[in-house]
Amino acid sequence: MKELLEILENNARATPEEIGKMLGRKVSLVKNDIKNLEKNGVILKYKTIINKELLREEDSSVRALIEVKVVPQKNLGFDHIAERIYQFPEVTSCYLMSGTYDLLIIVEGKNLQKVSNFVAEKLSPMENIRGTVTHFILKKYKEDGDILKQPNKSKRPAITL
Amino acid sequence: MTMVGAHGHAPYITVSIIMNKKNIISRTVQDLPPSGIRVFFDLVIGMKDVISLGVGEPDFVTPWNIRETAIYAIEQGYTSYTSNKGLIELRQEISRYLKRRYGLDYDPEEEILITVGVSEGFDLAVRALTDHGDKLLIPEPSYVAYGPITSLCGGQPLYLKSDPAAGFKVSAGQIERNTDKKTKGLILNYPNNPTGASYSKKELLDIAKVIERHDLIMISDEIYCDLTYDFDHTPFPTLPRMKERTVYLNGFSKSFAMTGWRIAYACGPKDIIAAMTKIHQYTMLCASVISQMAAREALKNSDRAVQEMKREYRRRREFIISRLNEIGLSCHKPEGAFYAFPSIKDTGLSSLTFAQELLKREKVAAVPGTAFGPMGEGYLRMSYATSYENLKEAMARIERFVARIKPTT
């Protein structure tokens, strides 16, 4: 099962037929495995990784990492405030952290202005939020294991014994 | 163990240049068999946009921790010779590694020699062990260097046909039948280039009995050992009483994707290693210190990367074998390495013609089996050390090619 996930994590478009061949497993069984993984939520969904660095200006976006300090609530801890924050579509990631702040969120917006507005108008005024520090991302080199650069052409000679 | 076929020395080309200055080139070298498929190689090199299944090396780059260590070594000024046998720290690391992996005991001081690729280790072993007229048994098809190196040392290569029906293996009985008083030893490469065949512990035990009975030496080239998919790899020296009769050759090229670093090692009884070291100090002096530093890091911190690469190869193996059989090129499932060795006999074409036509019509390069000896006729070596996308496309093209040539045969 782990290997099936390894294949799909790397290529969501691998078909059950191909996966069956790679793992020496019947196609019907592979289909069944995938269905089960989808049903119990291990496979959440299939996405495309887009290198936004290469998009035209009008299609591009900016991202910021925002450190958020919050006041935990009685009986609810951080979960309740986290939920209020991650419901915003602008928030692409949200983590509870150890260390000097509590939540780390990643916010995406069309431009600097939009992200700043989100912080100023939505995030900071929120009840129980003690403070935020915003770091804009200037350049992305690697994301979720993928290097955002065209790989070098293979330098191997075409035939070696 | 990789020899760059396309750029290797071709004795017969040299001969034509010195035609009227007789015998500048030694008789021995002139008599070395020329590579019959040179022309085919040149054809491949000259062609653009070819999907190559002809490559005998990993398609991965060396894991970053290893590369980073080499950069650091240069920064720190590791730029000098090392001792002839290689850095003691590396030999100790190899000793620990072999102990940990296989329970092998090799003394880093006297039983391990760092070589420039298994190619050098093999050359040294044959030179150290062969007197004029000694016979060495070589299963065929085999890696291209074994026979010529044996001849260069004045030895006599004696080829054993590895039986396709037995998954391209030689049997203990076959070795025994071909052994006489002049037979010095056996060269075994498993997992095998070009067939991918490997031997189980039981099969090796049978071979070991013959080795012992006839007082032979084993030169065991196990460079592909980490790419064994269906059972645990058994190093030859782990078999009872075989350590004292075996030159165990291994290296970093295939397991750690380090072909270009030219770094490997030979282990064996201390008198054989001493003899090999003697030659090594006159010819090579020592392996590159930078590669030695990198190799040490490879053994210490790359288990995960090795396992990841192995899983990826295994998936490709399943895919390519299943596709080739679907296409109608029957292919046994190789136990290791990264080669498929399908039969093309049903097409009625020779290996070379099949390879040439496949290249011209569909731009897929594969190596004719005859590159690995006449017993490779009727087969092609297809390397699956290339991306899954390439393999998929190559198989589609081969399928089209085979379908088109079938009616005419």
Side-chain angles (χ1 to χ4, degrees):
Chain A
M1 207 59 79
K2 207 177 143 212
E3 203 165 358
L4 170 67
L5 288 173
E6 190 177 272
I7 294 169
L8 283 174
E9 193 170 17
N10 209 19
N11 176 14
R13 297 176 73 181
T15 65
E17 286 73 20
E18 287 168 7
I19 296 170
K21 282 205 176 81
M22 285 190 239
L23 299 180
R25 193 166 164 78
K26 275 206 187 115
V27 178
S28 58
L29 291 177
V30 173
K31 281 186 180 161
N32 212 30
D33 293 343
I34 295 176
K35 210 195 282 172
N36 283 334
L37 287 165
E38 287 169 350
K39 206 157 66 185
N40 57 33
V42 175
I43 294 178
L44 269 179
K45 65 169 162 180
Y46 301 88
K47 297 209 302 186
T48 303
I49 298 169
I50 295 167
N51 186 357
K52 294 187 178 165
E53 301 284 303
L54 298 180
L55 291 179
R56 286 171 309 168
E57 187 127 18
E58 61 264 37
D59 297 325
S60 67
S61 57
V62 297
R63 276 180 179 221
L65 300 185
I66 302 172
E67 299 169 3
V68 187
K69 280 188 183 165
V70 304
V71 185
Q73 294 164 278
K74 198 170 167 79
N75 299 329
L76 294 169
F78 295 98
D79 293 353
H80 186 247
I81 184 80
E83 190 178 341
R84 287 197 58 190
I85 293 173
Y86 69 60
Q87 297 280 4
F88 285 105
E90 291 90 337
V91 177
T92 61
S93 304
C94 178
Y95 312 95
L96 178 64
M97 310 294 290
S98 65
T100 55
Y101 57 93
D102 305 304
L103 296 172
L104 175 68
I105 65 173
I106 299 176
V107 171
E108 186 172 299
K110 197 94 200 95
N111 48 42
L112 281 176
Q113 201 61 47
K114 292 268 196 275
V115 174
S116 310
N117 285 350
F118 173 79
V119 176
E121 291 164 18
K122 304 282 193 241
L123 195 61
S124 298
M126 216 180 265
E127 227 181 315
N128 299 320
I129 289 201
R130 289 194 289 136
T132 64
V133 180
T134 303
H135 309 272
F136 279 100
I137 293 173
L138 301 180
K139 181 172 179 179
K140 279 191 258 177
Y141 296 101
K142 184 175 181 181
E143 203 162 57
D144 288 336
D146 293 304
I147 293 169
L148 302 178
K149 193 173 86 173
Q150 296 290 350
N152 291 334
K153 270 241 162 173
S154 169
K155 299 175 187 77
R156 298 187 303 170
I159 283 213
T160 48
L161 297 176
Chain B
M1 184 159 81
T2 302
M3 193 167 99
V4 180
H7 304 274
H9 300 290
Y12 71 110
I13 290 175
T14 324
V15 171
S16 65
I17 298 166
I18 50 106
M19 204 75 109
N20 45 15
K21 300 182 188 174
K22 57 184 181 213
N23 291 338
I24 286 184
I25 303 300
S26 86
R27 210 12 88 201
T28 317
V29 172
Q30 289 196 44
D31 287 347
L32 276 186
S35 164
I37 55 163
R38 185 91 240 152
V39 183
F40 173 68
F41 281 13
D42 292 342
L43 198 66
V44 177
I45 303 296
M47 212 175 238
K48 278 202 173 116
D49 303 323
V50 171
I51 296 186
S52 183
L53 306 181
V55 187
E57 63 177 318
D59 57 317
F60 302 101
V61 284
T62 308
W64 175 248
N65 61 314
I66 301 172
R67 285 186 278 159
E68 203 271 339
T69 300
I71 295 167
Y72 185 69
I74 295 173
E75 280 177 354
Q76 291 298 301
Y78 284 93
T79 56
S80 57
Y81 294 133
T82 69
S83 79
N84 294 133
K85 281 182 179 161
L87 293 169
I88 185 64
E89 295 84 354
L90 173 57
R91 284 181 280 143
Q92 282 162 344
E93 200 61 50
I94 289 168
S95 178
R96 276 196 290 272
Y97 179 78
L98 293 175
K99 179 80 185 164
R100 181 174 92 220
R101 284 291 300 272
Y102 303 117
L104 272 168
D105 279 302
Y106 278 111
D107 172 9
E109 298 282 350
E110 297 193 297
E111 296 180 320
I112 299 176
L113 169 66
I114 309 301
T115 62
V116 180
V118 166
S119 292
E120 194 219 352
F122 176 76
D123 181 33
L124 294 176
V126 176
R127 286 210 241 181
L129 296 168
T130 313
D131 277 319
H132 191 80
D134 283 349
K135 288 183 192 166
L136 286 176
L137 303 176
I138 305 172
E140 199 189 281
S142 76
Y143 178 62
V144 291
Y146 303 145
I149 295 289
T150 305
S151 304
L152 276 175
C153 297
Q156 255 189 72
L158 198 120
Y159 295 102
L160 307 177
K161 181 173 182 168
S162 46
D163 183 6
F168 292 99
K169 297 182 201 185
V170 289
S171 68
Q174 213 179 342
I175 295 165
E176 186 146 48
R177 281 194 299 282
N178 286 282
T179 297
D180 61 24
K181 283 203 304 258
K182 296 293 284 176
T183 309
K184 190 75 184 259
L186 170 70
I187 296 162
L188 201 63
N189 164 224
Y190 67 98
N192 180 271
N193 175 10
T195 66
S198 195
Y199 293 80
S200 68
K201 184 165 187 182
K202 190 179 165 301
E203 292 163 329
L204 292 170
L205 279 167
D206 288 342
I207 292 174
K209 277 182 205 142
V210 178
I211 297 284
E212 190 172 23
R213 192 151 52 225
H214 294 276
D215 196 20
L216 301 178
I217 296 277
M218 173 69 136
I219 299 177
S220 198
D221 176 352
E222 303 183 25
I223 185 74
Y224 290 97
C225 68
D226 279 317
L227 306 178
T228 303
Y229 307 110
D230 301 322
F231 45 75
D232 288 335
H233 177 84
T234 306
F236 206 76
T238 60
L239 303 173
R241 294 177 302 285
M242 284 301 113
K243 196 186 154 210
E244 58 259 40
R245 305 186 159 271
T246 304
V247 180
Y248 172 76
L249 301 174
N250 208 337
F252 301 84
S253 296
K254 306 298 151 84
S255 304
F256 303 97
M258 290 179 72
T259 48
W261 301 76
R262 312 308 306 126
I263 186 83
Y265 52 93
C267 305
K270 74 176 188 194
D271 45 346
I272 298 183
I273 291 300
M276 289 169 66
T277 305
K278 216 193 241 181
I279 309 167
H280 174 77
Q281 72 183 350
Y282 292 132
T283 53
M284 208 59 76
L285 220 159
C286 68
S288 143
V289 63
I290 299 151
S291 297
Q292 292 192 52
M293 298 292 283
R296 192 171 161 223
E297 169 66 17
L299 292 179
K300 279 165 81 172
N301 292 316
S302 308
D303 285 0
R304 188 181 143 190
V306 172
Q307 289 314 312
E308 269 171 24
M309 290 190 274
K310 176 177 166 177
R311 280 204 301 280
E312 181 64 38
Y313 286 132
R314 188 175 60 208
R315 291 198 285 265
R316 295 178 192 170
R317 174 186 74 148
E318 301 294 328
F319 177 79
I320 188 171
I321 301 305
S322 130
R323 283 292 282 135
L324 285 169
N325 283 305
E326 258 175 30
I327 290 167
L329 302 179
S330 83
C331 187
H332 75 289
K333 193 188 259 189
E335 288 100 343
F338 38 59
Y339 306 110
F341 204 64
S343 164
I344 51 127
K345 287 176 181 164
D346 285 351
T347 66
L349 302 179
S350 73
S351 293
L352 186 57
T353 311
F354 187 104
Q356 275 169 344
E357 289 304 308
L358 179 63
L359 180 66
K360 282 185 205 155
R361 295 200 209 174
E362 296 289 351
K363 294 199 164 187
V364 174
V367 182
T370 44
F372 308 94
M375 291 167 202
E377 183 55 80
Y379 298 89
L380 243 60
R381 189 193 76 176
M382 296 181 181
S383 162
Y384 51 88
T386 187
S387 74
Y388 183 71
E389 286 64 37
N390 276 348
L391 283 181
K392 211 160 81 171
E393 176 59 21
M395 288 303 120
R397 292 186 190 187
I398 291 170
E399 184 160 41
R400 195 161 57 203
F401 175 75
V402 170
R404 224 181 282 162
I405 56 170
K406 270 242 164 98
T408 62
T409 57

